[in-house]
Amino acid sequence: MTIASPGTGSQEGKKALLRRSLREALEKRFSLLYLDLILKPAPEDLKDLLAKLDGADRYGKTR
């Protein structure tokens, strides 16, 4: 027979609760970051680069 130390179950419960709350906090943080990236307008130099890449990609596909 094994003797469980007092509080072992409560320690595991606390760890599980901590893991769950950290996971939820990270999910919310990543969701907010993604939303922030979607809502912010892209910088002009990035738009120019994307236009160049898109044009180069279309040129390569027609050949």
Side-chain angles (χ1 to χ4, degrees):
M1 177 188 334
T2 60
I3 300 173
S5 63
T8 303
S10 65
Q11 287 291 342
E12 291 300 318
K14 287 179 184 178
K15 287 181 183 179
L17 181 62
L18 179 62
R19 279 193 294 266
R20 184 173 50 238
S21 61
L22 283 173
R23 183 180 65 239
E24 290 173 0
L26 282 174
E27 287 172 356
K28 288 178 185 174
R29 177 71 177 148
F30 283 129
S31 297
L32 290 174
L33 278 172
Y34 184 68
L35 184 62
D36 191 41
L37 288 173
I38 291 172
L39 294 177
K40 280 187 180 175
E44 289 301 318
D45 55 340
L46 183 61
K47 288 180 184 177
D48 294 338
L49 177 63
L50 289 174
K52 288 178 186 176
L53 290 174
D54 187 43
D57 188 39
R58 288 183 186 178
Y59 177 74
K61 286 182 179 177
T62 59
R63 293 187 111 202

